[in-house]
Amino acid sequence: MPRQVALLLFVVSFLHCEGAAVKDELPAADNERPIVGILSQEQSLYLHSKYPEENYTSYIAASYVKHVEAAGARVVPILIGKQREYYRELMKKLNGVLFPGGATYFNQSNGYADAGQHIYEIAIEMNLAGEYFPIFGTCLGFELLIILASGQREPENRVRCYSYTNLPLDFTSDFRSSKMFSGTTKDIIDILSSENVTVNAHQFCIVDQNLEAFNLTDDWRVTSYSDDKHGVQFIASIEHRRFPFYGVQFHPEKISYEWKLSKQYPHSLNAIKSNRHFMDFFVNECRRSLHTFGNVEEENRYAIYNYEAKFTGVLGSQHHDIYFFEPRGIPKDQNSISNINKR
């Protein structure tokens, strides 16, 4: 466990026991111009093969961008492989961060997991200082949140879990007292709990034993479960008890914005409106943050609008369109592409 992570977790644990830091009363959702950062991730071998000359460093699936924008926020891409100060300075201007799903590994240096660790630790510092800063993790992003909360990388605090289907949610008995679902209308809850409208696409998951093994149950509350193809009951939604950190194992963004036929994503009206709840909720949490850029010109320099999404669905990608970042050109050592993880 890195020394700084251990120290931070000790401070968080101490303040939790002493009842200090984050106030019980939530700040009002007064920010009508929220800006959400979305963390990019390493280029995959498959995507590299489609754009070999560009040799992009990282990417973000456009479905996440559209999902955030549909909830009334703008997006700033957060690049991987940067120094801690890059993330700190950017987070002072953002109102929240989304950890997207994907297929990268957590043990790659200067990648998605390292950037996520910087963001997670800085967000804790900000919330302890009285600044409201939310994080939302989807699928891989949710797993990363729990692994970071566990305070170590190896062995990773998650289990093998195979689910590539659409499932309902099995809500916990007290889910209505959670922040994520306290204000959710009955019709949305009924759809989520009785229809196969949550898209699952993962081979790892978090189970109760992962929380118990690292004493996380005091800090994290489970609000729903689902079952994988072998009957493993995995945590489908979760939230931190003190900080505005949230996670779902499924993919709400795919319902409206991903169209690969072989994936058989549900696109019914019920599926669309029930899955909209999650990003609408998160962006409303981001409205409680009053961080701002210095001016409109600075906002524009960082915005996702500076990049053009590429139509990758026609190339066979699971993502309909993708934003790519920081092209490196053809590597001098062609063998270096073997280090790029497979999708």
Side-chain angles (χ1 to χ4, degrees):
M1 179 188 302
R3 188 174 180 181
Q4 63 186 31
V5 180
L7 178 59
L8 181 61
L9 291 173
F10 171 78
V11 171
V12 172
S13 176
F14 172 78
L15 290 173
H16 178 75
C17 295
E18 295 297 312
V22 181
K23 299 177 181 178
D24 289 335
E25 283 193 23
L26 297 179
D30 290 337
N31 183 355
E32 295 188 357
R33 296 176 59 84
I35 300 180
V36 174
I38 301 181
L39 181 59
S40 64
Q41 64 184 269
E42 294 89 337
Q43 183 73 295
S44 70
L45 183 61
Y46 175 81
L47 289 174
H48 175 87
S49 71
K50 301 303 179 183
Y51 302 98
E53 294 185 4
E54 293 86 347
N55 190 24
Y56 293 108
T57 303
S58 62
Y59 76 95
I60 295 173
S63 52
Y64 290 101
V65 176
K66 297 172 187 176
H67 199 44
V68 169
E69 291 177 336
R74 287 164 292 165
V75 168
V76 163
I78 302 177
L79 305 180
I80 59 174
K82 306 300 181 184
Q83 297 296 313
R84 190 181 187 89
E85 201 56 28
Y86 161 84
Y87 302 103
R88 185 183 301 279
E89 289 303 310
L90 189 53
M91 289 168 67
K92 290 178 182 178
K93 309 171 192 295
L94 301 174
N95 305 115
V97 169
L98 171 63
F99 289 171
T104 190
Y105 297 109
F106 291 157
N107 59 0
Q108 296 185 144
S109 298
N110 299 314
Y112 176 83
D114 283 350
Q117 182 172 345
H118 288 311
I119 293 167
Y120 177 78
E121 293 171 5
I122 294 167
I124 289 178
E125 294 173 7
M126 287 180 166
N127 282 287
L128 289 175
E131 302 175 50
Y132 201 79
F133 196 92
I135 298 177
F136 193 98
T138 298
C139 196
L140 187 77
F142 156 52
E143 295 167 21
L144 180 60
L145 276 175
I146 299 304
I147 288 172
L148 292 175
S150 304
Q152 69 174 34
R153 296 289 183 85
E154 298 290 346
E156 294 175 349
N157 188 26
R158 57 180 178 171
V159 300
R160 279 285 182 178
C161 190
Y162 296 91
S163 185
Y164 290 88
T165 188
N166 310 316
L167 297 168
L169 299 180
D170 181 12
F171 288 103
T172 59
S173 60
D174 63 346
F175 81 100
R176 275 298 192 184
S177 62
S178 68
K179 288 181 287 185
M180 189 184 294
F181 295 112
S182 62
T184 312
T185 59
K186 183 179 182 300
D187 64 319
I188 297 300
I189 296 299
D190 287 345
I191 294 169
L192 290 170
S193 61
S194 64
E195 300 184 26
N196 296 328
V197 293
T198 67
V199 172
N200 289 267
H202 53 91
Q203 51 186 303
F204 291 96
C205 61
I206 306 295
V207 297
D208 285 340
Q209 289 80 2
N210 294 120
L211 301 186
E212 295 162 0
F214 288 85
N215 299 314
L216 299 181
T217 53
D218 287 341
D219 291 325
W220 294 85
R221 64 176 297 178
V222 179
T223 52
S224 71
Y225 297 92
S226 291
D227 295 330
D228 86 338
K229 64 180 293 185
H230 300 299
V232 174
Q233 184 185 63
F234 61 86
I235 297 170
S237 60
I238 201 169
E239 64 184 48
H240 200 280
R241 296 182 186 273
R242 300 177 59 246
F243 303 135
F245 300 164
Y246 310 93
V248 296
Q249 185 66 74
F250 49 94
H251 288 267
E253 81 289 346
K254 291 186 182 296
I255 306 297
S256 295
Y257 305 111
E258 300 291 6
W259 296 95
K260 191 166 186 176
L261 281 171
S262 62
K263 299 297 183 180
Q264 298 183 330
Y265 301 137
H267 299 297
S268 67
L269 179 59
N270 276 359
I272 291 169
K273 71 178 184 179
S274 59
N275 278 272
R276 269 251 48 90
H277 163 73
F278 298 98
M279 196 48 56
D280 289 344
F281 164 80
F282 177 61
V283 168
N284 200 51
E285 285 288 277
C286 294
R287 295 177 193 277
R288 302 182 189 279
S289 166
L290 299 181
H291 290 179
T292 61
F293 283 84
N295 50 56
V296 173
E297 289 72 22
E298 186 183 27
E299 289 179 358
N300 291 341
R301 287 200 302 273
Y302 282 87
I304 193 72
Y305 311 126
N306 290 289
Y307 304 88
E308 183 178 353
K310 295 183 180 294
F311 181 17
T312 51
V314 73
L315 302 177
S317 171
Q318 64 172 304
H319 299 298
H320 197 70
D321 46 345
I322 291 176
Y323 290 93
F324 294 97
F325 308 102
E326 297 188 314
R328 292 165 292 186
I330 298 175
K332 294 180 181 179
D333 178 9
Q334 289 291 340
N335 292 328
S336 66
I337 66 170
S338 64
N339 296 322
I340 303 174
N341 60 292
K342 295 182 179 180
R343 175 170 296 279

